[in-house]
C-alpha cells in the first residue's frame, strides 16, 4: 500500500534560467500533475496566452483578490505582482496530483512555511551570470532595461539557494531535465505527518 495524497513541487530560479523549458521536457513523464497558473499584473509577452501562461489582471483586480484572501501566497517581483490562487491548488491536492509551482524565493518561503510537509523545493540556476544574460537576450521577450533588472535580481536570488532542497544547474538541458524528473517522482512519495501517524497505528495489528 502506498499513500496517495497530493504533493507540491516548487521550482524557483532567475527568470531565464530555463524553468519552463525543463518542465516542458518532462511534463508528460511524471504522472498526474497540475501546473499552478499564477496571476500577475505584468504585461503579456509575445507568444504568451492569457489563462495558459498566467492569468493577466490589472493592479486593482489583483488587490481585490488579496483583500478576498484568494492567494496561498503572493509577492512583488521586478515591480509586478504575482500570486498563487489557493482554490485550484486545494482541488488538485484533493485529487492526489503533484502540484507544480513556478514561483520566486519569497513565494517558496511562504509555501514551505504553510505546507512544508508535502513540499519539495528545487532551485534551477543557469551555470553563470553571463549564460543567464545570453539566454535572456536570446529569448527576445524583454528590453535591455528589463534584462538588466532581471540580472540584478538574479544576483540576489542566488544568495538564497540554501533555502531549497535541491539545486539543478541547467547547463546541459537533457541532463537537467533528467534530474528534475527524478526529483518530481520522489516529491510524490513525501509522506505528510498525519499519514505517518495513521500508518503506524494501523501497522500495529497484533494485540
Ligand atoms: P524561465 O522559465 O526560467 O524564465 P525559459 O525556460 O524561458 O526560462 O528559458 C530562457 C531561455 O533559455 C529560452 O530561450 C530557452 O530556450 C533557453 N534555455 C533553456 N535551457 C537552456 C540550456 N540548457 N541551454 C541553453 N539555452 C537554454
Ligand atoms: P516572469 O515574469 O519571468 O514570468 O516571472 C518572474 C518571476 O516571478 C519568476 O521568478 C517566477 O518564478 C516568479 N513568479 C511567477 N509566478 C509567481 C507566483 O505566483 N508567486 C511568486 N511568489 N512568484 C511568482
Amino acid at each position: 500500500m502506498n499513500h496517495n495524497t497530493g504533493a507540491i513541487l516548487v521550482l524557483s530560479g532567475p527568470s531565464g534560467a530555463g524553468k519552463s523549458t525543463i518542465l516542458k521536457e518532462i511534463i508528460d513523464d511524471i504522472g498526474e500533475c497540475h501546473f499552478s497558473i499564477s496571476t500577475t499584473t505584468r504585461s503579456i509577452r509575445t507568444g504568451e496566452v492569457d489563462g495558459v501562461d498566467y492569468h493577466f489582471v490589472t493592479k486593482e483586480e489583483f488587490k481585490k483578490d488579496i483583500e478576498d484572501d484568494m492567494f496561498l501566497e503572493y509577492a512583488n517581483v521586478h515591480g509586478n505582482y504575482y500570486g498563487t490562487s489557493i482554490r485550484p491548488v486545494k482541488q488538485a491536492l484533493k485529487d492526489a496530483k503533484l502540484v507544480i509551482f513556478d514561483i520566486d524565493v519569497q513565494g517558496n518561503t511562504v509555501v514551505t512555511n504553510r505546507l512544508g510537509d508535502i513540499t519539495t523545493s528545487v532551485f534551477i540556476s543557469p551555470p553563470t551570470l553571463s549564460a543567464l544574460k545570453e539566454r535572456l537576450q536570446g529569448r527576445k521577450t524583454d528590453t535591455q532595461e528589463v534584462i538588466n533588472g532581471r540580472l540584478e535580481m538574479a544576483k540576489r536570488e542566488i544568495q538564497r539557494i540554501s533555502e531549497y532542497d535541491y539545486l539543478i544547474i541547467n547547463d546541459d538541458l537533457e541532463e537537467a531535465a533528467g534530474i528534475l524528473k527524478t526529483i518530481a517522482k520522489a516529491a510524490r512519495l513525501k509522506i505528510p505527518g498525519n499519514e505517518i501517524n495513521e500508518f503506524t497505528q494501523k501497522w500495529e495489528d497484533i494485540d
Side-chain angles (χ1 to χ4, degrees):
M1 182 206 80
N2 269 307
H3 70 103
N4 62 350
T5 47
I8 293 174
L9 181 66
V10 171
L11 304 182
S12 299
S15 181
K19 301 179 293 294
S20 339
T21 308
I22 298 176
L23 193 57
K24 261 188 216 133
E25 287 279 310
I26 67 160
I27 199 81
D28 294 332
D29 300 326
I30 54 172
E32 278 276 285
C33 47
H34 167 84
F35 180 75
S36 166
I37 301 170
S38 297
T39 301
T40 185
T41 60
R42 89 145 155 75
S43 9
I44 191 163
R45 286 181 195 140
T46 319
E48 284 184 327
V49 178
D50 189 14
V52 175
D53 298 284
Y54 283 103
H55 299 292
F56 293 94
V57 297
T58 61
K59 272 210 170 100
E60 288 66 37
E61 287 169 315
F62 199 98
K63 282 183 179 155
K64 171 92 178 46
D65 279 358
I66 296 175
E67 279 165 22
D68 293 344
D69 222 2
M70 300 292 270
F71 293 122
L72 168 63
E73 63 75 37
Y74 67 91
N76 191 308
V77 187
H78 314 131
N80 294 301
Y81 283 107
Y82 293 81
T84 306
S85 296
I86 214 160
R87 202 180 294 158
V89 173
K90 265 191 181 167
Q91 185 58 50
L93 288 174
K94 224 188 225 173
D95 295 342
K97 291 185 178 165
L98 179 68
V99 184
I100 303 174
F101 293 147
D102 175 344
I103 57 177
D104 83 326
V105 286
Q106 307 169 74
N108 177 54
T109 305
V110 178
V111 173
T112 304
N113 284 339
R114 292 184 73 170
L115 295 161
D117 65 343
I118 56 166
T119 300
T120 300
S121 59
V122 183
F123 192 96
I124 298 179
S125 175
T128 57
L129 188 63
S130 50
L132 179 62
K133 189 175 175 188
E134 268 174 37
R135 284 180 198 177
L136 284 171
Q137 286 171 337
R139 193 166 67 179
K140 294 190 167 69
T141 53
D142 301 300
T143 61
Q144 192 56 47
E145 194 190 344
V146 169
I147 291 176
N148 290 342
R150 288 177 188 263
L151 292 174
E152 282 310 309
M153 184 71 158
K155 288 189 209 167
R156 291 197 293 274
E157 287 170 320
I158 290 287
Q159 304 302 321
R160 294 180 61 178
I161 288 177
S162 63
E163 295 173 29
Y164 287 77
D165 295 318
Y166 299 100
L167 165 66
I168 299 179
I169 299 163
N170 178 23
D171 193 353
D172 178 82
L173 180 61
E174 291 308 309
E175 192 187 333
I179 297 169
L180 187 61
K181 202 196 287 185
T182 305
I183 296 170
K185 287 183 177 170
R188 263 183 207 288
L189 303 175
K190 212 168 170 184
I191 315 170
N194 59 348
E195 285 202 14
I196 296 176
N197 292 338
E198 209 178 290
F199 174 72
T200 49
Q201 274 165 21
K202 277 194 193 152
W203 185 79
E204 281 198 38
D205 60 348
I206 303 168
D207 293 329

